[in-house]
Each structure stands twice: as C-alpha cells, then as structure tokens.
Amino acid sequence: MKKTKMLLLAVVGLLISAVPALAQGDVAAAAANSAVGVKAIAAGVGFAIAVFGGALGQSRIGAAACEGAARYPGAAGRIQTMMILGLALIESLVLFALLIVFVKV
C-alpha cells in the first residue's frame, strides 16, 4: 500500500511539475507579439524623425529661395525651378521612408 501511495504521489508531482513546462509556448507567442509592438513603435519614431528632417529641409529651401529671389529678381524663375526640384527630391525621400515603414512592420 505504501509503495502504491508513494508511486501515486510521485506521478502527481511529476504531472504538476510538467504543467508549467508545457505552458512555455504561450510565453513565446507573447514575446513574439511584444516584438511586433516594439517594431511598430520603432518604425513610427523613425518615420517621425524622417518627416521632421524633411520638413526642416523644405523650410530651409523655401527660405533660401525667397531670399535669393529678393536679392536677384531677374533670376527668380530659375530659383523657383531649382526650389521645386529640391522640394520634390526631399518629399520623395520622406515617401521612401514611409514605404520602408510599411514593408518592415
């Protein structure tokens, strides 16, 4: 009787200790979901930095174009053309950053 009782307690103890070991799959899934959330936050912060840099560059180009047109009114057409080209290139870089955010997340 004592051997059967001891064997039964050993089996129950083994089963109780096996339950947390089998539950580790949920922890891995939760860690994977956490990593996805961290990636999304990092992509958002990175895109915000890209947008801030693009806005800063566009404002500097606009200010320089206005100053150049005020100093040399005869060259205003050429200055405006170069300004629009520069603005388009900066905007394309910001849109490329947005594309990278969507691809990576």
Side-chain angles (χ1 to χ4, degrees), residues 56-70 79 83 87:
L56 190 64
Q58 286 180 345
S59 65
R60 286 183 179 232
I61 285 178
C66 288
E67 184 180 337
I79 292 172
M83 178 191 72
L87 291 174

Side-chain angles (χ1 to χ4, degrees), residues 16 20 41 67 80 89 100:
I16 289 174
I41 290 171
E67 184 180 337
Q80 182 180 9
L89 290 174
I100 295 300

Side-chain angles (χ1 to χ4, degrees), residues 6-33:
M6 188 61 80
L7 182 64
L8 182 63
L9 286 175
V11 169
V12 169
L14 182 65
L15 290 175
I16 289 174
S17 66
V19 170
L22 295 176
Q24 295 299 319
D26 294 336
V27 173
N33 290 339

